[in-house]
Amino acid sequence: GIAMAMLAGAALIQWAEGIGSLQFSFIGEIRPWQLTFLVASIPGVIAFLLMLSVREPVRRLASGRASEASTPSISEVVNYVRLRKASYGTIIIGFTLLSLTSYGYMSWVPTYLIRFFNISTVNAGLLVGVIYLIAGLVGTLGGGWLSDFLFQRGYKDAPLRVAILAAIGVSIFGVVATMMSDIVWTVVFLCIALTFLIMPYGLAAVALQTITPNQMRGQINAFYLLVLNLVALGLGPLLVALLTDYLFKDPMALGKSLSLVTLIVAPSAVFVLRLGLRYYRPGT
């Protein structure tokens, strides 16, 4: 999804700039950047229409029997989580910290390439799209495969172990990636760093669902996504911008800001997830 957004977005920007500004009597002038947003919104409308055809599947118990069991109340879910707050807390905080770094990269790497290497917006979108295409496939599938591999060898906490490995990789390659002076090495290290950054996405859902009863999984995953978006998406891009504007006070220091955020946040994720291994008890 990210890769296609970058690739299609780059082509869309080029197309909109070729058309130029458009005039409409009922809304006035639409500039190329505004036209880009309008056209980019079309897949969202299509997705909405497709979702209207989706029906809620019958809930099944662990035994596989169909069930009409009622959804537990919010208070029941809260009480369940409170008794296991160390398990849920370390998972949610650890994966949110990793995502904070990821959202920072996602938001600012195209701008970094444009500023530091003086390439066009279209070329930056194409380049980042290819990077995400490679990193997304390798990271997501590789993380799932490695987690299954460890689980089959008796590591019931395999999702957390792979996430810790990913966080260590981000701590190294995520810092180095935006410190290179050569664009070729920058792309190479960005591919590696983003592979590690994307690796935990699927693992977070696995880690949460394997310690959560069937009837509570929807609510707990919803809470996790709420925290993830409020904190990671809210702070990731913002922290990079604040460091660039107020600490380094130089637009060309954007790479340093990305490296500094990664240097602080990714090792913190390693610490929290490592702590979570003590409390992670699947099936309890």
Side-chain angles (χ1 to χ4, degrees), residues 146 160-170 196 199 270:
L146 184 56
L160 291 189
R161 289 183 180 272
V162 177
I164 292 169
L165 173 64
I168 293 172
V170 172
F196 282 118
M199 188 179 290
V270 174

Side-chain angles (χ1 to χ4, degrees), residues 37-93:
F37 277 112
L38 288 173
V39 177
S41 68
I42 293 174
V45 177
I46 296 173
F48 164 74
L49 294 175
L50 288 174
M51 285 303 299
L52 294 177
S53 68
V54 176
R55 295 293 176 262
E56 180 73 16
V58 176
R59 185 182 299 278
R60 294 187 177 277
L61 299 175
S63 62
R65 292 182 294 105
S67 170
E68 297 296 334
S70 60
T71 301
S73 66
I74 293 178
S75 61
E76 289 177 304
V77 177
V78 170
N79 289 333
Y80 182 85
V81 172
R82 184 183 292 120
L83 294 174
R84 297 159 180 81
K85 55 182 178 293
S87 297
Y88 284 103
T90 50
I91 291 173
I92 292 174
I93 294 172

Side-chain angles (χ1 to χ4, degrees), residues 157-179:
D157 53 6
L160 291 189
R161 289 183 180 272
V162 177
I164 292 169
L165 173 64
I168 293 172
V170 172
S171 301
I172 299 170
F173 294 100
V175 172
V176 175
T178 53
M179 300 298 288

